[in-house]
PDB file of all heavy atoms in Angstrom:
ATOM      1  N   THR A 114      -5.390 -88.132 -81.515  1.00  0.00           N
ATOM      2  CA  THR A 114      -5.575 -89.531 -81.974  1.00  0.00           C
ATOM      3  C   THR A 114      -4.703 -89.618 -83.252  1.00  0.00           C
ATOM      4  O   THR A 114      -4.798 -88.887 -84.163  1.00  0.00           O
ATOM      5  CB  THR A 114      -7.022 -89.843 -82.367  1.00  0.00           C
ATOM      6  OG1 THR A 114      -7.830 -89.705 -81.155  1.00  0.00           O
ATOM      7  CG2 THR A 114      -7.155 -91.198 -82.885  1.00  0.00           C
ATOM      8  N   VAL A 115      -3.802 -90.602 -83.245  1.00  0.00           N
ATOM      9  CA  VAL A 115      -2.796 -90.782 -84.330  1.00  0.00           C
ATOM     10  C   VAL A 115      -2.739 -92.223 -84.703  1.00  0.00           C
ATOM     11  O   VAL A 115      -3.167 -93.155 -84.002  1.00  0.00           O
ATOM     12  CB  VAL A 115      -1.419 -90.330 -83.841  1.00  0.00           C
ATOM     13  CG1 VAL A 115      -1.447 -88.855 -83.470  1.00  0.00           C
ATOM     14  CG2 VAL A 115      -0.930 -91.139 -82.629  1.00  0.00           C
ATOM     15  N   GLU A 116      -2.230 -92.383 -85.958  1.00  0.00           N
ATOM     16  CA  GLU A 116      -1.903 -93.718 -86.399  1.00  0.00           C
ATOM     17  C   GLU A 116      -0.636 -94.243 -85.720  1.00  0.00           C
ATOM     18  O   GLU A 116       0.174 -93.455 -85.221  1.00  0.00           O
ATOM     19  CB  GLU A 116      -1.633 -93.742 -87.953  1.00  0.00           C
ATOM     20  CG  GLU A 116      -2.809 -93.548 -88.789  1.00  0.00           C
ATOM     21  CD  GLU A 116      -3.753 -94.823 -88.790  1.00  0.00           C
ATOM     22  OE1 GLU A 116      -3.297 -95.897 -89.169  1.00  0.00           O
ATOM     23  OE2 GLU A 116      -4.874 -94.657 -88.327  1.00  0.00           O
ATOM     24  N   CYS A 117      -0.586 -95.601 -85.646  1.00  0.00           N
ATOM     25  CA  CYS A 117       0.444 -96.166 -84.830  1.00  0.00           C
ATOM     26  C   CYS A 117       1.836 -95.890 -85.311  1.00  0.00           C
ATOM     27  O   CYS A 117       2.854 -95.997 -84.553  1.00  0.00           O
ATOM     28  CB  CYS A 117       0.272 -97.719 -84.745  1.00  0.00           C
ATOM     29  SG  CYS A 117       0.014 -98.462 -86.372  1.00  0.00           S
ATOM     30  N   ASP A 118       2.010 -95.513 -86.510  1.00  0.00           N
ATOM     31  CA  ASP A 118       3.326 -95.152 -87.099  1.00  0.00           C
ATOM     32  C   ASP A 118       3.584 -93.680 -87.069  1.00  0.00           C
ATOM     33  O   ASP A 118       4.533 -93.182 -87.769  1.00  0.00           O
ATOM     34  CB  ASP A 118       3.550 -95.745 -88.458  1.00  0.00           C
ATOM     35  CG  ASP A 118       2.512 -95.214 -89.479  1.00  0.00           C
ATOM     36  OD1 ASP A 118       1.497 -94.680 -89.027  1.00  0.00           O
ATOM     37  OD2 ASP A 118       2.706 -95.360 -90.707  1.00  0.00           O
ATOM     38  N   ASN A 119       2.733 -92.896 -86.425  1.00  0.00           N
ATOM     39  CA  ASN A 119       2.812 -91.438 -86.459  1.00  0.00           C
ATOM     40  C   ASN A 119       2.734 -90.827 -85.072  1.00  0.00           C
ATOM     41  O   ASN A 119       2.131 -89.798 -84.848  1.00  0.00           O
ATOM     42  CB  ASN A 119       1.758 -90.853 -87.363  1.00  0.00           C
ATOM     43  CG  ASN A 119       2.088 -89.407 -87.742  1.00  0.00           C
ATOM     44  OD1 ASN A 119       3.256 -89.006 -87.835  1.00  0.00           O
ATOM     45  ND2 ASN A 119       1.030 -88.615 -87.874  1.00  0.00           N
ATOM     46  N   ILE A 120       3.288 -91.566 -84.030  1.00  0.00           N
ATOM     47  CA  ILE A 120       3.218 -91.082 -82.667  1.00  0.00           C
ATOM     48  C   ILE A 120       4.229 -89.943 -82.431  1.00  0.00           C
ATOM     49  O   ILE A 120       5.388 -90.042 -82.777  1.00  0.00           O
ATOM     50  CB  ILE A 120       3.493 -92.209 -81.714  1.00  0.00           C
ATOM     51  CG1 ILE A 120       2.557 -93.377 -81.873  1.00  0.00           C
ATOM     52  CG2 ILE A 120       3.545 -91.753 -80.231  1.00  0.00           C
ATOM     53  CD1 ILE A 120       2.917 -94.629 -81.087  1.00  0.00           C
ATOM     54  N   PRO A 121       3.770 -88.802 -81.983  1.00  0.00           N
ATOM     55  CA  PRO A 121       4.642 -87.627 -81.815  1.00  0.00           C
ATOM     56  C   PRO A 121       5.629 -87.891 -80.672  1.00  0.00           C
ATOM     57  O   PRO A 121       5.402 -88.621 -79.730  1.00  0.00           O
ATOM     58  CB  PRO A 121       3.697 -86.509 -81.498  1.00  0.00           C
ATOM     59  CG  PRO A 121       2.513 -87.164 -80.882  1.00  0.00           C
ATOM     60  CD  PRO A 121       2.316 -88.461 -81.535  1.00  0.00           C
ATOM     61  N   GLU A 122       6.838 -87.287 -80.842  1.00  0.00           N
ATOM     62  CA  GLU A 122       7.829 -87.308 -79.767  1.00  0.00           C
ATOM     63  C   GLU A 122       7.280 -86.486 -78.540  1.00  0.00           C
ATOM     64  O   GLU A 122       6.589 -85.539 -78.751  1.00  0.00           O
ATOM     65  CB  GLU A 122       9.138 -86.773 -80.235  1.00  0.00           C
ATOM     66  CG  GLU A 122       9.850 -87.596 -81.281  1.00  0.00           C
ATOM     67  CD  GLU A 122      10.289 -88.958 -80.727  1.00  0.00           C
ATOM     68  OE1 GLU A 122      10.696 -88.942 -79.523  1.00  0.00           O
ATOM     69  OE2 GLU A 122      10.235 -89.956 -81.392  1.00  0.00           O
ATOM     70  N   PRO A 123       7.665 -86.895 -77.321  1.00  0.00           N
ATOM     71  CA  PRO A 123       7.260 -86.082 -76.160  1.00  0.00           C
ATOM     72  C   PRO A 123       7.836 -84.645 -76.284  1.00  0.00           C
ATOM     73  O   PRO A 123       8.960 -84.449 -76.639  1.00  0.00           O
ATOM     74  CB  PRO A 123       7.858 -86.850 -74.988  1.00  0.00           C
ATOM     75  CG  PRO A 123       8.096 -88.262 -75.509  1.00  0.00           C
ATOM     76  CD  PRO A 123       8.468 -88.087 -76.926  1.00  0.00           C
ATOM     77  N   ALA A 124       6.910 -83.693 -75.927  1.00  0.00           N
ATOM     78  CA  ALA A 124       7.354 -82.291 -75.950  1.00  0.00           C
ATOM     79  C   ALA A 124       8.242 -82.067 -74.719  1.00  0.00           C
ATOM     80  O   ALA A 124       8.112 -82.634 -73.658  1.00  0.00           O
ATOM     81  CB  ALA A 124       6.137 -81.400 -75.880  1.00  0.00           C
ATOM     82  N   THR A 125       9.286 -81.125 -74.899  1.00  0.00           N
ATOM     83  CA  THR A 125      10.101 -80.657 -73.753  1.00  0.00           C
ATOM     84  C   THR A 125       9.480 -79.325 -73.223  1.00  0.00           C
ATOM     85  O   THR A 125       9.474 -78.353 -73.931  1.00  0.00           O
ATOM     86  CB  THR A 125      11.517 -80.416 -74.274  1.00  0.00           C
ATOM     87  OG1 THR A 125      12.058 -81.695 -74.734  1.00  0.00           O
ATOM     88  CG2 THR A 125      12.375 -79.965 -73.088  1.00  0.00           C
ATOM     89  N   LEU A 126       8.944 -79.453 -72.067  1.00  0.00           N
ATOM     90  CA  LEU A 126       8.233 -78.271 -71.472  1.00  0.00           C
ATOM     91  C   LEU A 126       9.142 -77.565 -70.469  1.00  0.00           C
ATOM     92  O   LEU A 126       9.882 -78.217 -69.779  1.00  0.00           O
ATOM     93  CB  LEU A 126       6.945 -78.687 -70.874  1.00  0.00           C
ATOM     94  CG  LEU A 126       5.835 -79.332 -71.755  1.00  0.00           C
ATOM     95  CD1 LEU A 126       4.560 -79.579 -71.041  1.00  0.00           C
ATOM     96  CD2 LEU A 126       5.613 -78.476 -72.976  1.00  0.00           C
ATOM     97  N   THR A 127       8.906 -76.275 -70.364  1.00  0.00           N
ATOM     98  CA  THR A 127       9.537 -75.448 -69.264  1.00  0.00           C
ATOM     99  C   THR A 127       8.453 -74.738 -68.495  1.00  0.00           C
ATOM    100  O   THR A 127       7.308 -74.629 -69.041  1.00  0.00           O
ATOM    101  CB  THR A 127      10.538 -74.515 -69.850  1.00  0.00           C
ATOM    102  OG1 THR A 127       9.868 -73.581 -70.756  1.00  0.00           O
ATOM    103  CG2 THR A 127      11.670 -75.163 -70.593  1.00  0.00           C
ATOM    104  N   ALA A 128       8.802 -74.242 -67.308  1.00  0.00           N
ATOM    105  CA  ALA A 128       7.781 -73.579 -66.492  1.00  0.00           C
ATOM    106  C   ALA A 128       8.397 -72.435 -65.780  1.00  0.00           C
ATOM    107  O   ALA A 128       9.632 -72.285 -65.611  1.00  0.00           O
ATOM    108  CB  ALA A 128       7.175 -74.610 -65.516  1.00  0.00           C
ATOM    109  N   SER A 129       7.540 -71.522 -65.303  1.00  0.00           N
ATOM    110  CA  SER A 129       7.955 -70.344 -64.509  1.00  0.00           C
ATOM    111  C   SER A 129       7.105 -70.251 -63.254  1.00  0.00           C
ATOM    112  O   SER A 129       5.971 -70.770 -63.223  1.00  0.00           O
ATOM    113  CB  SER A 129       7.760 -69.079 -65.382  1.00  0.00           C
ATOM    114  OG  SER A 129       8.531 -69.147 -66.549  1.00  0.00           O
ATOM    115  N   ASP A 130       7.710 -69.646 -62.224  1.00  0.00           N
ATOM    116  CA  ASP A 130       7.001 -69.450 -60.920  1.00  0.00           C
ATOM    117  C   ASP A 130       7.220 -68.070 -60.484  1.00  0.00           C
ATOM    118  O   ASP A 130       8.276 -67.444 -60.737  1.00  0.00           O
ATOM    119  CB  ASP A 130       7.524 -70.519 -59.949  1.00  0.00           C
ATOM    120  CG  ASP A 130       6.697 -70.478 -58.663  1.00  0.00           C
ATOM    121  OD1 ASP A 130       5.521 -70.890 -58.764  1.00  0.00           O
ATOM    122  OD2 ASP A 130       7.183 -70.077 -57.631  1.00  0.00           O
TER     123      ASP A 130
END
Side-chain angles (χ1 to χ4, degrees):
T114 299
V115 297
E116 287 290 299
C117 50
D118 59 343
N119 196 32
I120 301 172
E122 291 295 323
T125 300
L126 298 185
T127 61
S129 301
D130 188 68

